[in-house]
Amino acid sequence: MSRVAIVTGAARGIGAATVDALVNDGYRVVAVDRCRDIAEIPYALAKPADLDAVVSRHGDNVLGLVGDVRSATDMALAVETAVRHFGRLDAVVAAAGVIAGGYPLWEMSDAAWDAVWSVSVLGTRRLLEAAIPQLLLAGPDANGRVVAVASAAGQLGLRHLAAYSAAKHAVVGLIRGVAMDLAEHGITANAVSPGSTATSILDASAALYGLSGPEEFASQQPVGRLLEPKEIANAILWLCSTGASAVTGAVIAVDGGMTVN
């Protein structure tokens, strides 16, 4: 029987590429996205049409679900939908994230801080607390997998992006703690930390810094180019595989060498 995953932030960027990679490897996927803007986030988020486009690429292998990762009810519905529609749940990927800033921490509003933290940190928690009981039901031989998308910012301090850096540090800590809770149950929990990747968040980052475009970030990485979402998705796919059974509590840098130094 095909393995089943839930992916949040699935309508575009790394989330959408992860859906593609999982399906191409034989998974069936519940693809979840908020599909509406957040007032405190200074750029447009994915739209329903974006999620529809992801679903349409894969037919019956992907079920789209509009839901907010910050909602315990919505994440419980995602798990219920996976089990009811596809019969099981084997992996969850917390890829939803937003960015805000472009100014020092002391000039940031509570609302903007809360928006960044609630999507990245609370959103990861909500997915995990809904999904892990179902993963545990499958038993230690089911190779349950938990993956979260952190960021190179989860290792570095980025100028004028203190809230985002802090949130991604928190995602790393959350995953490491959960990995220890799950180790005895045969379920792995890991994070991937992308560098500058050609996504809408990078476009927004360029605007926050007043750059002419996201290509200016390429110089931050020794490989000398922006990364593609599918390159991050390939690492996530491996972490969801049986071949990664000995890897847990790890933070896999997929950053073109950005954090080597």
Side-chain angles (χ1 to χ4, degrees):
M1 181 181 291
S2 296
R3 286 170 64 82
V4 176
I6 295 170
V7 178
T8 65
R12 65 187 188 189
I14 292 170
T18 300
V19 174
D20 293 342
L22 288 168
V23 173
N24 290 340
D25 197 56
Y27 270 82
R28 293 175 293 173
V29 178
V30 175
V32 184
D33 203 284
R34 175 183 166 86
C35 292
R36 61 185 187 279
D37 292 342
I38 297 174
E40 296 79 19
I41 300 304
Y43 59 93
L45 301 185
K47 299 294 188 285
D50 297 314
L51 184 58
D52 290 344
V54 174
V55 173
S56 68
R57 290 200 290 269
H58 302 294
D60 294 339
N61 290 315
V62 175
L63 181 66
L65 181 66
V66 174
D68 192 325
V69 292
R70 302 173 296 182
S71 166
T73 299
D74 286 1
M75 293 303 95
L77 178 60
V79 173
E80 177 188 342
T81 300
V83 174
R84 184 180 67 248
H85 193 78
F86 292 130
R88 58 189 291 167
L89 180 63
D90 302 280
V92 292
V93 179
V98 294
I99 198 166
Y103 38 74
L105 174 67
W106 54 90
E107 296 178 7
M108 189 171 208
S109 70
D110 286 350
W113 171 279
D114 289 346
V116 172
W117 267 69
S118 63
V119 174
S120 289
V121 186
L122 178 61
T124 300
R125 174 196 168 189
R126 292 297 188 218
L127 175 62
L128 269 54
E129 67 187 4
I132 287 173
Q134 184 63 44
L135 296 176
L136 290 170
L137 284 176
D141 296 326
N143 295 302
R145 299 288 184 260
V146 172
V147 183
V149 176
S151 169
Q155 182 174 334
L156 304 171
L158 299 182
R159 182 175 180 269
H160 287 177
L161 288 176
Y164 182 75
S165 294
K168 292 304 186 179
H169 275 75
V171 169
V172 168
L174 178 63
I175 285 295
R176 284 176 167 160
V178 168
M180 295 303 95
D181 291 339
L182 291 175
E184 65 190 90
H185 301 288
I187 300 170
T188 65
N190 296 286
V192 295
S193 286
S196 295
T197 306
T199 64
S200 297
I201 281 186
L202 196 67
D203 294 342
S205 298
L208 292 175
Y209 282 121
L211 303 179
S212 61
E215 294 77 13
E216 291 196 42
F217 288 115
S219 62
Q220 295 179 336
Q221 297 170 164
V223 296
R225 62 174 177 84
L226 299 182
L227 309 179
E228 293 298 325
K230 66 182 180 181
E231 295 178 291
I232 318 305
N234 286 338
I236 294 170
L237 175 64
W238 179 71
L239 288 171
C240 289
S241 73
T242 57
S245 58
V247 181
T248 197
V251 183
I252 307 299
V254 191
D255 63 9
M258 183 177 179
T259 57
V260 167
N261 293 319

